[in-house]
Amino acid sequence: MSDLYAVFGNPVAHSKSPLIHAAFAAATGQDLTYEARLAPVDGFARAVADFVAVGGKGANVTVPFKEEAFRLSGSLSERAARAGAVNTLVFRDGAIFGDNTDGAGLVRDITHNLGFSLAGKHILLLGAGGAARGVIAPLLGERPAALRIVNRSAGKATDLAAAFSDLAAEQGVAIDAGSFEATAGQAFDVVINATSASLSGSGLPLPAAIFAPGSLAYDMMYGKGETPFLGQARAQGAAHLADGLGMLAEQAAEAFFVWRGLRPQTATLLAELRRTTGA
Ligand code: NDP
């Protein structure tokens, strides 16, 4: 019988994870089945227990269950502990191990797929929700010169910067935080949008001149056509634009590695995803 994996979410029907992991399994010759499982908003733990009972070996977790998956995990990877959220579960010997591959996916997309080194760079991270929190440690691990976190509710950005100040100091990175307005007059080599503003079609109150010459604007959001943030970045002179489809493929490849010990190539899959989504 094939090894069984799933993605849990609510909603989950739109998830591309079953397609992605089926492609990885075919490409690497792994015998596994991967399905989408809709969990009731108040029934995540029960849904996971039912899945383990039928032999589930591992799972991905998406909105709105990443924090609950964190709490459900008996042990955690260091990056999941730092993120306070889990997107990858491993079920082994009656125990649940929680990991978070989102940040590794973002960093690999930027450094490997886009060929943009983060070392020594000035990075601006927009947003202070779960996605932002999950990528900070992996970003610091690339040893940029500085990381600034900006959020609509500026206090949340300040709290996040404080939570990662020890790690930033270890890596020799200057970390700070504030509001959009207080960022006027500063320029960055990489600006990452981890807000959900693009989901509702909204732009962001970006100060003028935040994009340094040769800069990369990266939107974690993806979809058909250019996102509002990437439209703003283009108008403000960002040299390179990227959406989050590569991050999606890379976080999945990292989860596949956690489960199977093999890292699938993502280039062919990414081209196919771009063709089918029009992104
Ligand atoms: P959360 O709900 O946890 O956080 C939302 C963030 O967006 C908060 O910082 C919030 O600010 C901010 N925000 C929302 N609306 C606006 C607005 N109109 N103007 C300014 N700021 C706004 O969401 P997540 O962190 O989980 O997800 C964020 C994004 O990242 C989503 O678009 C998601 O799809 C994407 N994502 C992509 C992944 C990928 O693989 N490509 C993986 C994970 C996430 P405030 O605190 O002030 O409310």
Side-chain angles (χ1 to χ4, degrees), residues 62-63 66-67 87 102 106 126-133 135 150-154 156-157 180 193-200 202-205 218-222 243-249 251:
T62 188
V63 177
K66 290 185 186 181
E67 281 81 14
N87 79 335
D102 281 337
L106 171 74
L126 307 174
R133 187 177 185 101
V135 302
V150 158
N151 194 46
R152 179 174 59 181
S153 323
K156 278 168 68 181
F180 283 92
N193 179 26
T195 75
S196 51
S198 288
L199 279 178
S200 56
S202 317
L204 290 163
Y218 192 103
D219 200 341
M220 287 195 194
M221 156 97 181
Y222 52 86
D243 70 12
L245 204 62
M247 176 179 174
L248 177 77
Q251 62 76 28

Side-chain angles (χ1 to χ4, degrees), residues 100-194:
N100 190 315
T101 65
D102 281 337
L106 171 74
V107 165
R108 188 165 168 90
D109 191 35
I110 292 176
T111 59
H112 184 81
N113 297 344
L114 302 173
F116 201 97
S117 169
L118 294 170
K121 299 286 168 54
H122 287 75
I123 303 177
L124 176 61
L125 180 62
L126 307 174
R133 187 177 185 101
V135 302
I136 294 173
L139 286 174
L140 292 174
E142 295 300 299
R143 296 181 173 251
L147 174 66
R148 179 168 173 80
I149 308 167
V150 158
N151 194 46
R152 179 174 59 181
S153 323
K156 278 168 68 181
T158 310
D159 290 349
L160 262 193
F164 286 86
S165 61
D166 59 334
L167 196 61
E170 258 172 46
Q171 304 282 8
V173 184
I175 192 166
D176 76 341
S179 65
F180 283 92
E181 308 82 71
T183 306
Q186 302 182 42
F188 299 88
D189 305 300
V190 184
V191 180
I192 300 166
N193 179 26

Side-chain angles (χ1 to χ4, degrees), residues 31-83:
D31 184 13
L32 61 87
T33 305
Y34 187 109
E35 59 193 39
R37 289 204 162 205
L38 179 73
V41 173
D42 60 353
F44 174 68
R46 176 81 258 156
V48 168
D50 290 348
F51 184 63
V52 173
V54 297
K57 293 262 189 290
N60 285 131
V61 181
T62 188
V63 177
F65 300 124
K66 290 185 186 181
E67 281 81 14
E68 202 174 340
F70 172 80
R71 293 192 294 274
L72 194 65
S73 300
S75 61
L76 294 163
S77 66
E78 195 183 336
R79 59 193 179 184
R82 277 277 178 185

